[in-house]
Amino acid sequence: MEPLRADMFDEICPSTLNPFRFGRDKWAALVIACLEDGPRRFSELRVPLHRVTPKVLTQSLRHLEQDGLITRTEYAEPVRRVVYELTPLGHSMLGPIRTACAWTADHWDELLDAHEAGITR
Amino acid sequence: MEPLRADMFDEICPSTLNPFRFGRDKWAALVIACLEDGPRRFSELRVPLHRVTPKVLTQSLRHLEQDGLITRTEYAEPVRRVVYELTPLGHSMLGPIRTACAWTADHWDELLDAHEAGITR
DNA sequence: CAGAATCCACCGAGATACTG
DNA sequence: CAGTATCTCGGTGGATTCTG
């Protein structure tokens, strides 16, 4: 499994155009995207999510855990390690998420046009 | 086209369990659902959405308009009439919305279990 | 390393009252 | 009929600092 790149989400700036939201809070969708390929440590998640403070990231992870979408596992062995992973339920959410994101990609021009028209009016 | 019933959304109480959100604000998804079968007047929308104040409903409608999902048309003819309608873009969103809602229906038990486990812990 | 504690600013959302 | 005008309140998200 490849490491998560720091610029993973840098270009998804105008994500406010996407009319779909996943999870309870602002960062849930990005966390899910980070866990797509397998389990990740807290510090691994902080690399692409470097604009999120640890407090807020923790909050988001706790919400996802309460919603049954991820699991949190703690190891104390050599050094302290906490690993987050998608549950089967969380993994099954990827289908509808991809459907929604495909729609957004397909209609990006129209979304952009509508937004710009809304600004100049 | 049938009138919108006042109890249309009364039973969708624990919708916080649904990890998908559509549109910018809290009421956008319900407005879209109301417009599914055709254009509706402001006062028609207020029937099923009787728990939403006119100010907040107006806000939500303006957002949907800015996002290119609905149109607002004003007639002054006999009496004043303002009609809201899904755009082709808004209508095309129904597909992914249905996909997402089907997922939620399919996994309702798991979502409920996770939520209850989160409460007692 | 993986957070917790504290404080704070902003904004969505609601209550209430009023209007072209 | 279809909104607008204020006011308020609570909660999300962020900055900063501290800790087992």
Side-chain angles (χ1 to χ4, degrees):
Chain A
M1 188 170 57
E2 311 203 336
L4 300 170
R5 287 178 308 144
D7 62 352
M8 187 173 177
F9 297 120
D10 280 3
E11 57 178 316
I12 321 183
C13 303
S15 58
T16 69
L17 290 184
N18 186 354
F20 294 93
R21 294 290 132 87
F22 314 103
R24 279 198 240 173
D25 52 56
K26 195 176 174 181
W27 305 106
L30 303 187
V31 171
I32 291 174
C34 289
L35 298 178
E36 206 165 320
D37 296 329
R40 300 282 186 181
R41 302 179 57 178
F42 188 79
S43 46
E44 283 184 284
L45 295 174
R46 293 208 62 193
V47 174
L49 299 170
H50 50 91
R51 281 177 298 193
V52 191
T53 62
K55 174 201 141 189
V56 174
L57 180 56
T58 300
Q59 254 178 194
S60 192
L61 289 164
R62 296 281 187 276
H63 284 156
L64 287 165
E65 201 188 350
Q66 281 172 29
D67 292 344
L69 300 174
I70 68 171
T71 56
R72 191 191 107 111
T73 317
E74 206 171 335
Y75 304 96
E77 296 156 25
V79 290
R80 188 168 180 226
R81 275 173 57 232
V82 178
V83 169
Y84 296 93
E85 186 171 12
L86 286 180
T87 61
L89 181 63
H91 209 83
S92 76
M93 234 188 112
L94 292 174
I97 287 179
R98 272 192 249 278
T99 303
C101 289
W103 181 92
T104 301
D106 286 348
H107 299 86
W108 192 251
D109 296 349
E110 298 165 73
L111 292 167
L112 201 60
D113 289 351
H115 186 231
E116 289 179 350
I119 284 177
T120 57
R121 185 168 18 84
Chain B
M1 189 170 55
E2 311 203 336
L4 299 170
R5 287 178 308 144
D7 62 353
M8 186 173 176
F9 297 121
D10 280 4
E11 55 177 316
I12 320 183
C13 302
S15 59
T16 69
L17 289 185
N18 186 353
F20 294 95
R21 294 289 131 86
F22 315 103
R24 280 200 240 171
D25 51 56
K26 195 176 173 182
W27 304 104
L30 303 187
V31 171
I32 292 174
C34 289
L35 297 178
E36 206 166 322
D37 296 330
R40 299 284 186 180
R41 303 178 57 179
F42 189 79
S43 47
E44 284 183 285
L45 294 174
R46 293 207 63 193
V47 174
L49 299 170
H50 50 89
R51 280 176 299 191
V52 190
T53 64
K55 174 200 139 188
V56 173
L57 180 56
T58 300
Q59 254 179 193
S60 193
L61 289 164
R62 296 281 188 275
H63 284 157
L64 287 165
E65 202 189 350
Q66 281 172 28
D67 292 344
L69 301 174
I70 68 171
T71 56
R72 191 191 107 109
T73 315
E74 205 170 336
Y75 305 96
E77 296 154 26
V79 289
R80 187 169 182 224
R81 276 174 55 234
V82 178
V83 169
Y84 296 93
E85 186 171 10
L86 285 180
T87 61
L89 181 63
H91 209 83
S92 77
M93 236 188 109
L94 292 173
I97 288 179
R98 272 193 249 277
T99 303
C101 289
W103 181 91
T104 301
D106 286 348
H107 299 86
W108 192 253
D109 295 350
E110 297 165 72
L111 291 167
L112 202 60
D113 288 351
H115 187 232
E116 289 179 348
I119 284 177
T120 56
R121 186 169 15 86

